[in-house]
Amino acid sequence: MEDKIYIPVSGVKVSDLFDWSDPVQKCRQKTVVVQRGLMRQTSQTGSVVECNDEKIALFRYHRQVYAIRERCPHAGGPLHLGDIEDLPGGGLCVRCPWHSWQFDLDTGQVKMPKGRKVTAQVFPVRVKPDGSLLIGFDKFADVYFSIETEF
């Protein structure tokens, strides 16, 4: 039995996410603002959501949705702007756009560069029949238990 607390993702459904398995979507161009008005052309991106006081990058492959902490654990790069790539032997990874480090989307383990002991935090995702998403956490964020937090 899984000991996770599943929290709904507000305003995002599975159909809103770019499908990395669809070759037609991969050919579309989209403009993404990266910093201070500078633009970057990209053919695809992940999505960033805030859930349980965490910024999380979401990626879709068919109906499977992957969730990983938005900032690369190596140098803080924006993982939602990374490319999704197939891993040898199966599985998927996200490649950080800053230094090309690759992280397994199932485990968070670094795949490239080899020999590094860095792990990105990944979260389980449930897709409900209506397409809404739930992200699994080990616990509620501490901010929810602060007397200074307003809801």
Side-chain angles (χ1 to χ4, degrees), residues 52-53 139-146 149:
N52 199 33
D53 203 38
K139 63 178 188 162
F140 287 108
D142 292 339
V143 69
Y144 296 123
F145 301 100
S146 170
T149 300

Side-chain angles (χ1 to χ4, degrees), residues 41-71:
Q41 283 297 117
T42 183
S43 59
Q44 59 271 338
T45 65
S47 297
V48 180
V49 297
E50 191 161 330
C51 188
N52 199 33
D53 203 38
E54 292 267 2
K55 286 194 177 176
I56 297 172
L58 295 175
F59 297 97
R60 173 181 166 204
Y61 197 86
H62 294 296
R63 257 191 87 77
Q64 176 71 40
V65 178
Y66 298 90
I68 188 167
R69 183 172 278 149
E70 158 53 9
R71 294 291 168 197

Side-chain angles (χ1 to χ4, degrees), residues 59 61 64-68 84-85 87 89-94 103-109 111 119-125:
F59 297 97
Y61 197 86
Q64 176 71 40
V65 178
Y66 298 90
I68 188 167
I84 298 300
E85 300 173 353
L87 289 170
L92 299 171
C93 71
V94 59
F103 297 93
D104 186 310
L105 285 172
D106 285 315
T107 66
Q109 297 293 315
K111 295 299 181 180
T119 302
Q121 186 171 4
V122 294
F123 305 90
V125 178

Side-chain angles (χ1 to χ4, degrees), residues 86-132:
D86 292 318
L87 289 170
L92 299 171
C93 71
V94 59
R95 184 172 42 86
C96 180
W98 285 6
H99 300 109
S100 296
W101 283 41
Q102 296 175 340
F103 297 93
D104 186 310
L105 285 172
D106 285 315
T107 66
Q109 297 293 315
V110 66
K111 295 299 181 180
M112 287 295 290
K114 298 276 186 206
R116 304 299 173 113
K117 301 292 183 204
V118 177
T119 302
Q121 186 171 4
V122 294
F123 305 90
V125 178
R126 290 184 180 164
V127 179
K128 294 173 68 175
D130 69 353
S132 59

Side-chain angles (χ1 to χ4, degrees), residues 16-31:
D16 298 328
L17 301 175
F18 174 85
D19 184 357
W20 287 81
S21 69
D22 183 356
V24 173
Q25 286 190 35
K26 285 185 178 184
C27 293
R28 292 184 185 147
Q29 291 293 314
K30 181 178 183 179
T31 301

